[in-house]
Amino acid sequence: MWVCRALSGARGRAQVLRALLRACGRRRSAAASFSASAEPSRVRALVYGDHGHPTNVVELKNLELAAVGGSDVHVKMLAAPINPSDINMIQGNYGLLPKLPAVGGNEGVGQVVAVGSSVTGLKPGDWVIPANAGLGTWRAEAVFSEEALMAVPSDIPLQSAATLGVNPCTAYRMLMDFEQLRPGDSVIQNASNSGVGQAVIQIAAALGLRTINVVRDRPELQKLTDRLKNLGAEHVITEEELRKPEMKNFFKDVPQPRLALNCVGGKSSTELLRHLAPGGTMVTYGGMAKQPVTAPVSLLIFKDLKLRGFWMSQWKKDHSLDQFKELIFTLCDLIRRGQLTAPACSEVPLQDYQHALETSMQPFVSSKQIFTM
Amino acid sequence: MWVCRALSGARGRAQVLRALLRACGRRRSAAASFSASAEPSRVRALVYGDHGHPTNVVELKNLELAAVGGSDVHVKMLAAPINPSDINMIQGNYGLLPKLPAVGGNEGVGQVVAVGSSVTGLKPGDWVIPANAGLGTWRAEAVFSEEALMAVPSDIPLQSAATLGVNPCTAYRMLMDFEQLRPGDSVIQNASNSGVGQAVIQIAAALGLRTINVVRDRPELQKLTDRLKNLGAEHVITEEELRKPEMKNFFKDVPQPRLALNCVGGKSSTELLRHLAPGGTMVTYGGMAKQPVTAPVSLLIFKDLKLRGFWMSQWKKDHSLDQFKELIFTLCDLIRRGQLTAPACSEVPLQDYQHALETSMQPFVSSKQIFTM
């Protein structure tokens, strides 16, 4: 959670915001703090004071940059994406909500500018990513506590580093933690063109797993199919194809998957369940259709299907920072070997946030919006 | 699977049935077999030749009793209940369906009359229950292979022995195999007045667990509540009460359950999920509402709820006969200590099967129909 002081044009408005911030309390542990300097630096940030539709509630503001305390780190942000979970958080539909006002964005990469006297794990020039969700990454610069950050190698592409901490981590853990899969086994997923979906395709291919990738029918479907196959997808099928009886023939040639990854819910998730092998697991990590997961009773009882959920923030709570570092390093190895690339990104300057937020919420957008500062 | 030879009044019909049986093939391993005797004994049995509404397809027939081969056991059935799964099997809605024609009933207790020369584990006078589903227990006598049977102690009440192999086993395994519960923990279940439900209440109480028992509102609710509390239920609430916001206050005094047992599906199961503790598991073992289990995506992702299924027949496939015996002996210990009683039973002679089948399918019937031969 992060606390800001707004320096908007209207003095009265700034005072109201300041009062609000005091009411929220100051939490320095993972936060920029108020500057003690008489003439504080001002940094641009995308701030929201209420939950609501992102383009209505997010504003570009100039915030005071806090002084760098002993355990603090001054970071210049380099790139920060707009993820679906950032949108959900602003809308108020997320399992973790920051105190308001808050800076948007939970992911991104920054470069260390300066460190406090007691900081030992980071030095100027290092690349850092947030250790946890809720940091507020959509801003030019910030002062964070050391423990809120984690160093990442700077020999990987900037866009990979900026999109490393949530989606590829989610993809990797879901592939590893629910079913013991072996090379040649297959995995089925929906929303296969999402950030997680693209990471699943690539990591699965690196592990020798065969992916069955379900996407919504759309204009230029062949182009999408080609792109996903180029990433390592073995099969790309539409939601409509998945519902057809002919899918039975499909599974004469492809082993029935023991793992299904569901980011949609509703009918799409029921179809994934129908095609799982007996004893298999469906892991839900998103609900794009805004409909619940519906499981026929017979599939639970007679097919012994297992329904689980996954949330990377919970995984981090349940594991040590060292375990998270190990995960990040594993993914960096895949990146260096060319087995894991960032999703297609459109770089957007911070001031074009209105357009970027709108675009990120459109259906069938294959390019991730990523703020460059 | 069991194969019979019909001796119905009309000779032509018997021939047709005989031809059908030959077409099905003879499986002696868990079966009565054709008698080689010139004048075979005839035994009464409830047979169905097609799937459909039980009172339409089940008929009382006289079947030939097979000769007792070397590894066979001649059993006189003492009592056999009508379980919901027997009805589902006759209707054709079950995970395991016998070849037709078949004798109804999957559970019951019989007494050994005679054994073949190579039978070592059973002797005349022993009580036996089916080792697996599909034996066909609604008949006066039968010749089974030794491996299709399991001895049970004869010092427990007859009705307990007749209803031991399915419902109390299901209840015990669901309480033991999904969440590690400790005395004082609570368990929530729906269909609490079912055979499994009553066993859950009693076994949970014996383990020091607190049960929250959901039932449908009905005439004489207080009578049912008193009866379930008398069995050891800590709380009895209706489906309607479970949906009220006041349930939040309820969980100020009672620990949130980590385990939910669902025999209903539909809305009832969604409500069970809402009241589970984070990380908890809902086990589905029935679908009385004939509606799928519906799980809000947020409960899977942010509350890490787990949805599983349980089927005793699958458990038996996955475990040895010795493990099943151990389970039966554990339950017999509870019965002897007075901690586990049979559900209220109405004894019905085999010839009154039409009425018994109808009654077993009525809502709000608190008494299990049990055939005595």
Side-chain angles (χ1 to χ4, degrees):
Chain A
M1 216 98 57
W2 165 92
V3 181
C4 63
R5 170 178 285 182
L7 285 178
S8 67
R11 215 164 238 283
R13 202 162 165 202
Q15 280 175 339
V16 169
L17 188 54
R18 212 170 298 138
L20 255 175
L21 290 168
R22 279 199 206 102
C24 294
R26 293 174 58 192
R27 295 185 51 178
R28 280 186 52 99
S29 67
S33 64
F34 292 88
S35 172
S37 147
E39 290 185 32
S41 307
R42 296 175 181 185
V43 293
R44 289 170 309 137
L46 294 176
V47 179
Y48 58 107
D50 293 297
H51 292 299
H53 189 75
T55 54
N56 292 343
V57 296
V58 173
E59 290 178 286
L60 183 64
K61 289 185 177 289
N62 284 312
L63 303 183
E64 278 183 23
L65 190 66
V68 179
S71 61
D72 289 341
V73 179
H74 177 190
V75 176
K76 180 182 180 328
M77 292 305 297
L78 302 174
I82 305 178
N83 282 323
S85 56
D86 301 327
I87 299 296
N88 295 340
M89 199 182 259
I90 294 167
Q91 290 168 330
N93 305 323
Y94 199 65
L96 181 157
L97 296 175
K99 284 190 181 168
L100 300 183
V103 174
N106 293 283
E107 199 182 23
V109 63
Q111 188 162 36
V112 174
V113 176
V115 299
S117 55
S118 60
V119 170
T120 55
L122 294 170
K123 60 183 188 307
D126 283 353
W127 279 13
V128 287
I129 64 171
N132 287 299
L135 194 67
T137 53
W138 297 344
R139 48 178 144 184
E141 295 177 42
V143 173
F144 299 116
S145 74
E146 182 183 10
E147 67 193 22
L149 302 169
M150 208 179 77
V152 291
S154 58
D155 63 347
I156 60 172
L158 186 72
Q159 289 183 353
S160 291
T163 58
L164 183 61
V166 179
N167 291 342
C169 290
T170 299
Y172 187 87
R173 294 267 55 107
M174 292 196 301
L175 287 170
M176 299 303 283
D177 296 348
F178 293 90
E179 287 286 337
Q180 284 210 320
L181 301 175
R182 293 182 187 177
D185 285 349
S186 65
V187 174
I188 192 167
Q189 66 168 341
N190 55 24
S192 307
N193 191 37
S194 68
V196 173
Q198 290 186 41
V200 164
I201 290 170
Q202 295 177 84
I203 297 168
L207 296 169
L209 302 172
R210 307 163 70 172
T211 52
I212 303 157
N213 299 281
V214 185
V215 297
R216 289 171 294 177
D217 199 5
R218 66 187 70 201
E220 301 194 323
L221 176 65
Q222 190 56 49
K223 213 168 158 182
L224 171 63
T225 301
D226 292 345
R227 192 161 53 73
L228 297 185
K229 287 199 171 181
N230 201 36
L231 288 178
E234 180 157 317
H235 302 280
V236 180
I237 56 177
T238 63
E239 294 279 359
E240 292 71 26
E241 285 169 333
L242 188 68
R243 281 175 212 159
K244 287 186 180 164
E246 292 84 342
M247 280 302 289
K248 275 189 186 167
N249 297 328
F250 179 86
F251 285 109
K252 284 180 183 162
D253 301 322
V254 180
Q256 271 201 305
R258 293 224 316 277
L259 181 67
L261 306 177
N262 167 41
C263 186
V264 178
K267 279 182 193 172
S268 176
S269 54
T270 308
E271 289 302 316
L272 292 190
L273 282 174
R274 285 193 205 287
H275 295 296
L276 268 182
T281 300
M282 181 171 82
V283 184
T284 292
Y285 67 97
M288 280 170 48
K290 301 203 184 301
Q291 286 169 0
V293 169
T294 300
V297 164
S298 60
L299 294 184
L300 289 164
I301 302 176
F302 302 131
K303 243 180 116 179
D304 190 26
L305 298 190
K306 302 168 181 74
L307 273 66
R308 300 287 305 273
F310 183 79
W311 188 27
M312 194 59 207
S313 295
Q314 189 62 46
W315 187 91
K316 285 184 191 171
K317 274 186 206 164
D318 297 340
H319 293 80
S320 69
L321 191 63
D322 279 345
Q323 287 173 306
F324 183 40
K325 275 182 191 163
E326 196 185 314
L327 171 56
I328 291 291
F329 289 170
T330 301
L331 294 171
C332 286
D333 278 345
L334 290 177
I335 292 169
R336 286 191 202 97
R337 282 191 223 130
Q339 294 179 309
L340 178 62
T341 57
C345 290
S346 298
E347 297 195 351
V348 191
L350 215 49
Q351 60 269 27
D352 292 348
Y353 67 98
Q354 286 278 354
H355 182 67
L357 289 169
E358 272 302 354
T359 307
S360 75
M361 289 183 285
Q362 295 304 312
F364 307 129
V365 172
S366 286
S367 181
K368 186 176 278 293
Q369 305 296 300
I370 190 164
F371 290 120
T372 52
M373 317 300 169
Chain B
M1 217 95 62
W2 166 92
V3 181
C4 63
R5 170 178 285 183
L7 286 179
S8 66
R11 216 164 236 285
R13 203 162 167 202
Q15 280 175 340
V16 169
L17 187 55
R18 213 171 297 139
L20 256 173
L21 291 167
R22 280 200 205 100
C24 294
R26 291 173 58 192
R27 295 185 53 178
R28 281 186 51 99
S29 67
S33 64
F34 294 88
S35 170
S37 146
E39 289 184 34
S41 306
R42 296 173 182 189
V43 294
R44 288 170 309 139
L46 294 175
V47 179
Y48 59 107
D50 294 297
H51 292 299
H53 189 74
T55 55
N56 292 344
V57 295
V58 173
E59 290 177 285
L60 183 64
K61 290 186 178 287
N62 284 312
L63 304 183
E64 277 183 25
L65 190 68
V68 179
S71 60
D72 289 340
V73 180
H74 178 191
V75 176
K76 180 185 180 327
M77 292 305 297
L78 301 175
I82 304 177
N83 283 322
S85 55
D86 302 326
I87 299 295
N88 295 340
M89 200 181 259
I90 295 168
Q91 290 167 330
N93 306 322
Y94 199 67
L96 180 156
L97 296 176
K99 283 190 181 166
L100 301 183
V103 174
N106 293 283
E107 199 182 23
V109 63
Q111 189 163 34
V112 174
V113 177
V115 299
S117 54
S118 61
V119 169
T120 54
L122 294 171
K123 59 181 188 312
D126 283 353
W127 279 13
V128 288
I129 64 171
N132 287 298
L135 193 67
T137 53
W138 298 344
R139 49 177 143 183
E141 295 177 42
V143 173
F144 299 117
S145 74
E146 182 183 9
E147 66 194 21
L149 302 170
M150 209 179 76
V152 292
S154 58
D155 65 346
I156 60 172
L158 186 72
Q159 287 184 355
S160 291
T163 58
L164 184 61
V166 179
N167 292 341
C169 290
T170 299
Y172 187 88
R173 293 267 56 106
M174 292 196 301
L175 287 169
M176 300 303 284
D177 296 348
F178 293 90
E179 288 285 337
Q180 282 210 319
L181 301 175
R182 292 181 189 179
D185 285 349
S186 65
V187 174
I188 191 166
Q189 67 167 341
N190 55 23
S192 307
N193 190 37
S194 68
V196 172
Q198 292 185 40
V200 164
I201 290 170
Q202 296 178 82
I203 297 168
L207 295 169
L209 302 172
R210 307 163 71 172
T211 52
I212 303 157
N213 300 281
V214 185
V215 296
R216 289 171 294 176
D217 198 6
R218 65 187 71 201
E220 301 195 321
L221 177 65
Q222 190 56 49
K223 213 167 156 183
L224 172 64
T225 302
D226 293 344
R227 193 161 54 74
L228 296 184
K229 287 200 170 177
N230 200 37
L231 288 178
E234 181 157 316
H235 302 279
V236 179
I237 57 177
T238 63
E239 293 280 359
E240 293 70 26
E241 285 168 334
L242 188 68
R243 281 174 212 160
K244 286 186 180 164
E246 292 83 343
M247 280 302 291
K248 274 189 187 167
N249 297 327
F250 178 86
F251 285 108
K252 284 180 184 161
D253 301 321
V254 181
Q256 271 201 305
R258 294 225 314 281
L259 181 66
L261 305 177
N262 167 41
C263 186
V264 178
K267 278 182 192 169
S268 175
S269 54
T270 308
E271 288 304 317
L272 293 189
L273 283 173
R274 286 193 205 288
H275 295 296
L276 268 182
T281 301
M282 181 170 82
V283 184
T284 292
Y285 67 96
M288 281 170 47
K290 302 204 183 301
Q291 287 169 0
V293 169
T294 301
V297 163
S298 60
L299 294 183
L300 288 164
I301 302 176
F302 302 131
K303 244 181 116 180
D304 190 26
L305 298 190
K306 301 167 182 75
L307 273 66
R308 300 287 305 273
F310 183 79
W311 187 29
M312 193 59 207
S313 294
Q314 189 62 47
W315 187 91
K316 286 184 191 171
K317 275 186 206 162
D318 297 340
H319 293 79
S320 68
L321 192 63
D322 278 345
Q323 287 173 307
F324 182 40
K325 276 183 190 164
E326 196 185 314
L327 170 56
I328 291 291
F329 288 170
T330 302
L331 294 170
C332 287
D333 279 345
L334 291 176
I335 292 168
R336 286 191 202 98
R337 282 192 220 129
Q339 294 179 310
L340 178 62
T341 58
C345 290
S346 298
E347 297 194 351
V348 191
L350 213 50
Q351 61 267 27
D352 293 349
Y353 67 98
Q354 286 278 356
H355 182 67
L357 288 169
E358 272 302 354
T359 306
S360 75
M361 288 183 285
Q362 297 302 315
F364 307 131
V365 172
S366 286
S367 182
K368 186 176 278 293
Q369 305 296 300
I370 189 164
F371 290 120
T372 51
M373 315 305 167

